[in-house]
Amino acid sequence: MFALDADGLRGRRVLDVAAGPSAFTAGANARGIDAVAVDPLYGLPADALATHALIDHRRVVTEMRRKPELFQRGTFGSIDEAAAARAKSARVFVEDYAQHFVHGRYVGGALPELPFADGEFDSVLCAHLLFIYAARLDFAFHLAACRELVRVSRGEARIYPAAGADGREYAEIGRLRAELAAGGVTVETRAVPHRFFVGSGTMLVLRR
Ligand SMILES: C[S@@+](CC[C@H](N)C(=O)[O-])C[C@H]1O[C@@H](n2cnc3c(N)ncnc32)[C@H](O)[C@@H]1O
């Protein structure tokens, strides 16, 4: 999703925002990356999160099967394969969360105000929150969220995907770019190798 260089990130501090029941943080730490995840759900007991992950998994898979025309072969060969990978990711997450919540690897918090200091992370990531919920989260939220992702990063922030749930580029990208540029932040749309659903081939890279 983020076209990351895992070797280059070894020993660096990475923040996954809106991480939910995903295995990124567990996998990154296993590779020697100092990764931390933040999500409003964190703080709940691990078994409550396991139930939440299961319900979320069913909802996403039902949605994928209802709209197979949105699925793109690439990272996964089929919807079944994608569903199995997501289920595994949720299991890895719950195990890692149960073990490492107490060590501060998983932090409760929400955009547009994250509980971290300015420039605390070398790299900041945010997948499947901004732009795909364009109907629920308005432009003001997107702008404030982008500024916040940049604030906690001393390098760059990456947002995936650059498209909305309909697979089209975020409709307000021009306005977002202009507002961020006025605050000294550049926005680059960059191709990524991940393919999952229509419009899943690009991310935004924000830099101060
Ligand atoms: C679709 S999930 C994405 C999970 C993960 N990033 C992925 O790509 O698989 C969206 C996540 O955003 C979280 N979320 C909702 N509102 C948020 C906010 N204001 N700030 C940060 N995260 C939020 C939800 O709790 C949920 O875990």
CSV table of all heavy atoms in Angstrom, one decimal, residues 78-126:
chain,number,residue,atom,x,y,z
A,78,SER,N,-8.0,-13.5,-5.7
A,78,SER,CA,-9.5,-13.6,-5.7
A,78,SER,C,-10.0,-12.9,-4.4
A,78,SER,O,-9.2,-12.6,-3.5
A,78,SER,CB,-9.9,-15.1,-5.7
A,78,SER,OG,-9.5,-15.7,-4.5
A,79,ILE,N,-11.3,-12.7,-4.3
A,79,ILE,CA,-11.9,-12.2,-3.1
A,79,ILE,C,-11.7,-13.1,-1.9
A,79,ILE,O,-11.4,-12.7,-0.8
A,79,ILE,CB,-13.4,-11.9,-3.4
A,79,ILE,CG1,-13.6,-10.7,-4.4
A,79,ILE,CG2,-14.1,-11.5,-2.1
A,79,ILE,CD1,-15.0,-10.3,-4.7
A,80,ASP,N,-11.8,-14.4,-2.2
A,80,ASP,CA,-11.6,-15.4,-1.1
A,80,ASP,C,-10.2,-15.3,-0.6
A,80,ASP,O,-10.0,-15.4,0.7
A,80,ASP,CB,-11.7,-16.9,-1.7
A,80,ASP,CG,-13.2,-17.2,-1.9
A,80,ASP,OD1,-14.0,-16.4,-1.4
A,80,ASP,OD2,-13.5,-18.2,-2.5
A,81,GLU,N,-9.2,-15.1,-1.4
A,81,GLU,CA,-7.8,-15.0,-1.0
A,81,GLU,C,-7.6,-13.7,-0.1
A,81,GLU,O,-7.0,-13.7,0.9
A,81,GLU,CB,-6.9,-14.9,-2.2
A,81,GLU,CG,-5.5,-15.3,-2.0
A,81,GLU,CD,-4.6,-15.2,-3.2
A,81,GLU,OE1,-5.0,-15.8,-4.3
A,81,GLU,OE2,-3.6,-14.5,-3.2
A,82,ALA,N,-8.3,-12.6,-0.6
A,82,ALA,CA,-8.2,-11.4,0.1
A,82,ALA,C,-8.9,-11.5,1.5
A,82,ALA,O,-8.3,-11.0,2.5
A,82,ALA,CB,-8.9,-10.2,-0.7
A,83,ALA,N,-10.0,-12.2,1.5
A,83,ALA,CA,-10.7,-12.4,2.8
A,83,ALA,C,-9.9,-13.2,3.8
A,83,ALA,O,-9.8,-12.9,5.0
A,83,ALA,CB,-12.0,-13.1,2.5
A,84,ALA,N,-9.2,-14.3,3.3
A,84,ALA,CA,-8.3,-15.1,4.1
A,84,ALA,C,-7.2,-14.3,4.7
A,84,ALA,O,-6.8,-14.4,5.9
A,84,ALA,CB,-7.8,-16.3,3.4
A,85,ALA,N,-6.6,-13.4,3.8
A,85,ALA,CA,-5.4,-12.6,4.2
A,85,ALA,C,-5.9,-11.6,5.3
A,85,ALA,O,-5.1,-11.4,6.3
A,85,ALA,CB,-4.8,-11.9,3.0
A,86,ARG,N,-7.0,-11.0,5.1
A,86,ARG,CA,-7.5,-10.1,6.1
A,86,ARG,C,-7.8,-10.7,7.5
A,86,ARG,O,-7.5,-10.2,8.5
A,86,ARG,CB,-8.8,-9.4,5.6
A,86,ARG,CG,-8.6,-8.3,4.6
A,86,ARG,CD,-9.9,-7.6,4.3
A,86,ARG,NE,-10.4,-6.9,5.5
A,86,ARG,CZ,-10.2,-5.6,5.6
A,86,ARG,NH1,-9.5,-4.9,4.8
A,86,ARG,NH2,-10.7,-5.0,6.7
A,87,ALA,N,-8.4,-12.0,7.4
A,87,ALA,CA,-8.7,-12.7,8.6
A,87,ALA,C,-7.4,-13.0,9.4
A,87,ALA,O,-7.3,-12.9,10.6
A,87,ALA,CB,-9.4,-14.0,8.3
A,88,LYS,N,-6.3,-13.4,8.6
A,88,LYS,CA,-5.0,-13.7,9.2
A,88,LYS,C,-4.4,-12.5,9.9
A,88,LYS,O,-3.9,-12.5,11.0
A,88,LYS,CB,-4.1,-14.3,8.2
A,88,LYS,CG,-2.8,-14.7,8.8
A,88,LYS,CD,-1.9,-15.4,7.7
A,88,LYS,CE,-0.6,-15.7,8.4
A,88,LYS,NZ,0.5,-15.7,7.4
A,89,SER,N,-4.5,-11.4,9.1
A,89,SER,CA,-4.0,-10.1,9.6
A,89,SER,C,-4.7,-9.7,11.0
A,89,SER,O,-4.0,-9.3,11.9
A,89,SER,CB,-4.3,-9.0,8.6
A,89,SER,OG,-3.9,-7.8,9.0
A,90,ALA,N,-6.0,-9.9,11.1
A,90,ALA,CA,-6.7,-9.6,12.3
A,90,ALA,C,-6.3,-10.5,13.4
A,90,ALA,O,-6.1,-10.0,14.6
A,90,ALA,CB,-8.2,-9.7,12.1
A,91,ARG,N,-6.0,-11.7,13.2
A,91,ARG,CA,-5.5,-12.7,14.2
A,91,ARG,C,-4.1,-12.2,14.7
A,91,ARG,O,-3.9,-12.2,15.9
A,91,ARG,CB,-5.5,-14.1,13.7
A,91,ARG,CG,-6.8,-14.8,13.6
A,91,ARG,CD,-6.7,-16.3,13.5
A,91,ARG,NE,-5.9,-16.7,12.3
A,91,ARG,CZ,-6.5,-16.9,11.1
A,91,ARG,NH1,-7.8,-16.6,10.9
A,91,ARG,NH2,-5.8,-17.2,10.0
A,92,VAL,N,-3.3,-11.9,13.8
A,92,VAL,CA,-1.9,-11.4,14.2
A,92,VAL,C,-2.0,-10.2,15.0
A,92,VAL,O,-1.3,-10.0,16.0
A,92,VAL,CB,-1.1,-11.2,12.9
A,92,VAL,CG1,0.3,-10.5,13.2
A,92,VAL,CG2,-0.8,-12.5,12.2
A,93,PHE,N,-2.9,-9.3,14.6
A,93,PHE,CA,-3.1,-8.0,15.3
A,93,PHE,C,-3.5,-8.3,16.8
A,93,PHE,O,-2.9,-7.8,17.7
A,93,PHE,CB,-4.2,-7.1,14.6
A,93,PHE,CG,-4.8,-6.1,15.6
A,93,PHE,CD1,-4.1,-5.0,16.0
A,93,PHE,CD2,-6.0,-6.3,16.1
A,93,PHE,CE1,-4.6,-4.1,16.9
A,93,PHE,CE2,-6.6,-5.4,17.0
A,93,PHE,CZ,-5.9,-4.3,17.4
A,94,VAL,N,-4.6,-9.1,16.9
A,94,VAL,CA,-5.1,-9.3,18.3
A,94,VAL,C,-4.0,-9.9,19.2
A,94,VAL,O,-3.9,-9.5,20.4
A,94,VAL,CB,-6.4,-10.2,18.2
A,94,VAL,CG1,-6.8,-10.6,19.6
A,94,VAL,CG2,-7.5,-9.5,17.5
A,95,GLU,N,-3.3,-10.9,18.7
A,95,GLU,CA,-2.2,-11.5,19.5
A,95,GLU,C,-1.1,-10.4,19.9
A,95,GLU,O,-0.7,-10.4,21.1
A,95,GLU,CB,-1.5,-12.6,18.6
A,95,GLU,CG,-1.0,-13.7,19.4
A,95,GLU,CD,-0.6,-14.9,18.5
A,95,GLU,OE1,-1.5,-15.6,18.0
A,95,GLU,OE2,0.6,-15.0,18.3
A,96,ASP,N,-0.8,-9.6,18.9
A,96,ASP,CA,0.3,-8.6,19.2
A,96,ASP,C,-0.2,-7.5,20.2
A,96,ASP,O,0.5,-7.1,21.1
A,96,ASP,CB,0.7,-8.0,17.9
A,96,ASP,CG,2.1,-7.3,18.0
A,96,ASP,OD1,3.1,-8.0,18.3
A,96,ASP,OD2,2.1,-6.0,17.8
A,97,TYR,N,-1.5,-7.2,20.0
A,97,TYR,CA,-2.1,-6.1,20.8
A,97,TYR,C,-2.2,-6.6,22.3
A,97,TYR,O,-1.8,-5.9,23.2
A,97,TYR,CB,-3.6,-5.9,20.3
A,97,TYR,CG,-4.3,-4.9,21.1
A,97,TYR,CD1,-4.3,-3.5,20.8
A,97,TYR,CD2,-5.2,-5.3,22.2
A,97,TYR,CE1,-5.0,-2.6,21.6
A,97,TYR,CE2,-5.9,-4.4,22.9
A,97,TYR,CZ,-5.8,-3.0,22.6
A,97,TYR,OH,-6.6,-2.1,23.3
A,98,ALA,N,-2.6,-7.9,22.5
A,98,ALA,CA,-2.7,-8.5,23.8
A,98,ALA,C,-1.4,-8.5,24.5
A,98,ALA,O,-1.3,-8.2,25.7
A,98,ALA,CB,-3.3,-9.9,23.7
A,99,GLN,N,-0.3,-8.7,23.7
A,99,GLN,CA,1.0,-8.7,24.3
A,99,GLN,C,1.7,-7.3,24.5
A,99,GLN,O,2.4,-7.1,25.5
A,99,GLN,CB,1.9,-9.5,23.3
A,99,GLN,CG,2.9,-10.4,24.0
A,99,GLN,CD,3.7,-11.1,23.0
A,99,GLN,OE1,3.2,-11.5,21.9
A,99,GLN,NE2,5.0,-11.3,23.3
A,100,HIS,N,1.4,-6.4,23.6
A,100,HIS,CA,2.2,-5.2,23.6
A,100,HIS,C,1.4,-3.9,23.8
A,100,HIS,O,2.0,-2.8,23.8
A,100,HIS,CB,2.9,-5.0,22.2
A,100,HIS,CG,4.0,-6.1,22.0
A,100,HIS,ND1,5.1,-6.1,22.8
A,100,HIS,CD2,4.1,-7.1,21.2
A,100,HIS,CE1,5.9,-7.1,22.5
A,100,HIS,NE2,5.3,-7.8,21.5
A,101,PHE,N,0.1,-4.0,24.1
A,101,PHE,CA,-0.6,-2.8,24.5
A,101,PHE,C,0.0,-2.1,25.7
A,101,PHE,O,0.2,-0.9,25.7
A,101,PHE,CB,-2.1,-3.1,24.8
A,101,PHE,CG,-2.9,-1.8,25.2
A,101,PHE,CD1,-3.2,-0.8,24.3
A,101,PHE,CD2,-3.2,-1.7,26.6
A,101,PHE,CE1,-3.9,0.3,24.8
A,101,PHE,CE2,-3.8,-0.6,27.0
A,101,PHE,CZ,-4.2,0.4,26.1
A,102,VAL,N,0.4,-2.9,26.7
A,102,VAL,CA,1.0,-2.4,27.9
A,102,VAL,C,2.3,-1.7,27.6
A,102,VAL,O,2.8,-0.9,28.4
A,102,VAL,CB,1.1,-3.4,29.0
A,102,VAL,CG1,-0.2,-3.8,29.6
A,102,VAL,CG2,1.9,-4.6,28.5
A,103,HIS,N,3.0,-2.0,26.5
A,103,HIS,CA,4.3,-1.4,26.2
A,103,HIS,C,4.1,-0.1,25.4
A,103,HIS,O,5.1,0.4,24.9
A,103,HIS,CB,5.2,-2.4,25.5
A,103,HIS,CG,5.3,-3.7,26.2
A,103,HIS,ND1,5.1,-4.9,25.7
A,103,HIS,CD2,5.7,-3.9,27.5
A,103,HIS,CE1,5.3,-5.9,26.6
A,103,HIS,NE2,5.7,-5.3,27.7
A,104,GLY,N,2.9,0.3,25.2
A,104,GLY,CA,2.7,1.5,24.4
A,104,GLY,C,2.8,1.4,22.9
A,104,GLY,O,2.9,2.4,22.2
A,105,ARG,N,2.7,0.1,22.4
A,105,ARG,CA,2.8,-0.1,21.0
A,105,ARG,C,1.5,0.3,20.3
A,105,ARG,O,1.4,0.7,19.1
A,105,ARG,CB,3.2,-1.6,20.7
A,105,ARG,CG,3.4,-1.8,19.2
A,105,ARG,CD,3.8,-3.3,19.0
A,105,ARG,NE,5.1,-3.6,19.4
A,105,ARG,CZ,5.7,-4.8,19.2
A,105,ARG,NH1,5.0,-5.7,18.5
A,105,ARG,NH2,6.9,-5.0,19.6
A,106,TYR,N,0.4,0.2,21.1
A,106,TYR,CA,-1.0,0.5,20.6
A,106,TYR,C,-1.5,1.6,21.4
A,106,TYR,O,-1.6,1.5,22.7
A,106,TYR,CB,-1.9,-0.7,20.6
A,106,TYR,CG,-1.4,-1.8,19.6
A,106,TYR,CD1,-0.5,-2.8,20.0
A,106,TYR,CD2,-1.7,-1.7,18.3
A,106,TYR,CE1,0.0,-3.7,19.1
A,106,TYR,CE2,-1.2,-2.7,17.4
A,106,TYR,CZ,-0.4,-3.7,17.8
A,106,TYR,OH,0.1,-4.6,16.9
A,107,VAL,N,-1.9,2.8,20.8
A,107,VAL,CA,-2.3,3.9,21.6
A,107,VAL,C,-3.7,4.4,21.1
A,107,VAL,O,-4.0,4.5,19.9
A,107,VAL,CB,-1.3,5.1,21.3
A,107,VAL,CG1,-1.7,6.4,22.0
A,107,VAL,CG2,0.2,4.7,21.7
A,108,GLY,N,-4.5,4.7,22.1
A,108,GLY,CA,-5.9,5.2,21.8
A,108,GLY,C,-5.8,6.7,21.4
A,108,GLY,O,-5.1,7.4,22.0
A,109,GLY,N,-6.4,7.0,20.2
A,109,GLY,CA,-6.4,8.4,19.8
A,109,GLY,C,-7.0,8.5,18.4
A,109,GLY,O,-7.2,7.5,17.7
A,110,ALA,N,-7.4,9.8,18.1
A,110,ALA,CA,-8.1,10.0,16.8
A,110,ALA,C,-7.7,11.2,16.1
A,110,ALA,O,-7.4,12.2,16.8
A,110,ALA,CB,-9.6,10.0,17.1
A,111,LEU,N,-7.7,11.2,14.8
A,111,LEU,CA,-7.6,12.4,14.0
A,111,LEU,C,-8.8,13.3,14.3
A,111,LEU,O,-9.9,12.7,14.5
A,111,LEU,CB,-7.4,12.1,12.6
A,111,LEU,CG,-6.1,11.4,12.2
A,111,LEU,CD1,-6.2,10.9,10.8
A,111,LEU,CD2,-5.0,12.5,12.2
A,112,PRO,N,-8.7,14.6,14.3
A,112,PRO,CA,-7.6,15.3,13.8
A,112,PRO,C,-6.6,15.8,14.9
A,112,PRO,O,-5.9,16.7,14.7
A,112,PRO,CB,-8.2,16.6,13.2
A,112,PRO,CG,-9.5,16.8,13.9
A,112,PRO,CD,-9.9,15.4,14.4
A,113,GLU,N,-6.7,15.1,16.1
A,113,GLU,CA,-5.8,15.5,17.2
A,113,GLU,C,-5.1,14.3,17.8
A,113,GLU,O,-5.7,13.6,18.5
A,113,GLU,CB,-6.5,16.3,18.3
A,113,GLU,CG,-6.7,17.8,18.0
A,113,GLU,CD,-7.5,18.5,19.1
A,113,GLU,OE1,-7.2,18.3,20.2
A,113,GLU,OE2,-8.4,19.2,18.7
A,114,LEU,N,-3.9,14.0,17.4
A,114,LEU,CA,-3.2,12.8,17.8
A,114,LEU,C,-2.4,13.1,19.1
A,114,LEU,O,-1.9,14.2,19.3
A,114,LEU,CB,-2.3,12.3,16.7
A,114,LEU,CG,-3.0,11.9,15.4
A,114,LEU,CD1,-1.9,11.6,14.3
A,114,LEU,CD2,-3.9,10.7,15.6
A,115,PRO,N,-2.3,12.1,20.0
A,115,PRO,CA,-1.6,12.3,21.3
A,115,PRO,C,-0.1,12.1,21.1
A,115,PRO,O,0.5,11.3,21.9
A,115,PRO,CB,-2.2,11.2,22.1
A,115,PRO,CG,-2.6,10.1,21.2
A,115,PRO,CD,-2.9,10.7,19.9
A,116,PHE,N,0.5,12.8,20.2
A,116,PHE,CA,2.0,12.7,20.0
A,116,PHE,C,2.5,14.1,19.8
A,116,PHE,O,1.9,15.1,19.4
A,116,PHE,CB,2.3,11.9,18.8
A,116,PHE,CG,1.7,10.5,18.8
A,116,PHE,CD1,0.6,10.1,18.1
A,116,PHE,CD2,2.2,9.5,19.7
A,116,PHE,CE1,0.0,8.9,18.2
A,116,PHE,CE2,1.7,8.3,19.8
A,116,PHE,CZ,0.6,7.9,19.0
A,117,ALA,N,3.9,14.2,20.1
A,117,ALA,CA,4.6,15.5,20.0
A,117,ALA,C,4.9,15.8,18.5
A,117,ALA,O,4.9,14.9,17.7
A,117,ALA,CB,5.8,15.5,20.8
A,118,ASP,N,5.2,17.1,18.3
A,118,ASP,CA,5.6,17.5,16.9
A,118,ASP,C,6.8,16.6,16.5
A,118,ASP,O,7.8,16.5,17.3
A,118,ASP,CB,6.0,19.0,16.9
A,118,ASP,CG,4.9,19.9,17.2
A,118,ASP,OD1,3.7,19.4,17.4
A,118,ASP,OD2,5.2,21.1,17.3
A,119,GLY,N,6.8,16.2,15.2
A,119,GLY,CA,8.0,15.5,14.7
A,119,GLY,C,8.4,14.2,15.4
A,119,GLY,O,9.6,13.9,15.4
A,120,GLU,N,7.5,13.6,16.1
A,120,GLU,CA,7.9,12.4,16.9
A,120,GLU,C,8.3,11.2,16.1
A,120,GLU,O,9.0,10.3,16.5
A,120,GLU,CB,6.8,12.1,17.9
A,120,GLU,CG,7.2,11.3,19.1
A,120,GLU,CD,6.1,11.1,20.1
A,120,GLU,OE1,5.3,12.0,20.4
A,120,GLU,OE2,6.1,10.0,20.7
A,121,PHE,N,7.8,11.1,14.8
A,121,PHE,CA,8.0,9.9,14.0
A,121,PHE,C,8.8,10.3,12.7
A,121,PHE,O,8.6,11.3,12.1
A,121,PHE,CB,6.6,9.3,13.6
A,121,PHE,CG,5.9,8.9,14.9
A,121,PHE,CD1,5.0,9.7,15.6
A,121,PHE,CD2,6.1,7.6,15.4
A,121,PHE,CE1,4.4,9.3,16.7
A,121,PHE,CE2,5.5,7.2,16.5
A,121,PHE,CZ,4.6,8.0,17.2
A,122,ASP,N,9.6,9.3,12.3
A,122,ASP,CA,10.3,9.5,11.0
A,122,ASP,C,9.3,9.4,9.8
A,122,ASP,O,9.5,10.0,8.8
A,122,ASP,CB,11.3,8.4,10.9
A,122,ASP,CG,12.4,8.5,11.9
A,122,ASP,OD1,13.1,9.5,11.9
A,122,ASP,OD2,12.5,7.6,12.8
A,123,SER,N,8.3,8.5,10.0
A,123,SER,CA,7.4,8.3,8.9
A,123,SER,C,6.0,8.1,9.5
A,123,SER,O,5.8,7.4,10.5
A,123,SER,CB,7.8,7.1,8.1
A,123,SER,OG,7.0,7.0,6.9
A,124,VAL,N,5.0,8.6,8.9
A,124,VAL,CA,3.6,8.5,9.4
A,124,VAL,C,2.7,8.0,8.2
A,124,VAL,O,2.8,8.5,7.1
A,124,VAL,CB,3.0,9.9,9.9
A,124,VAL,CG1,1.6,9.8,10.3
A,124,VAL,CG2,3.9,10.4,11.1
A,125,LEU,N,1.9,7.0,8.5
A,125,LEU,CA,1.1,6.3,7.5
A,125,LEU,C,-0.4,6.3,7.9
A,125,LEU,O,-0.7,6.3,9.1
A,125,LEU,CB,1.5,4.8,7.4
A,125,LEU,CG,3.0,4.6,7.3
A,125,LEU,CD1,3.3,3.1,7.4
A,125,LEU,CD2,3.5,5.1,6.0
A,126,CYS,N,-1.3,6.4,7.0
A,126,CYS,CA,-2.7,6.3,7.3
A,126,CYS,C,-3.4,5.7,6.1
A,126,CYS,O,-3.5,6.2,5.0
A,126,CYS,CB,-3.2,7.8,7.5
A,126,CYS,SG,-4.9,7.8,8.0
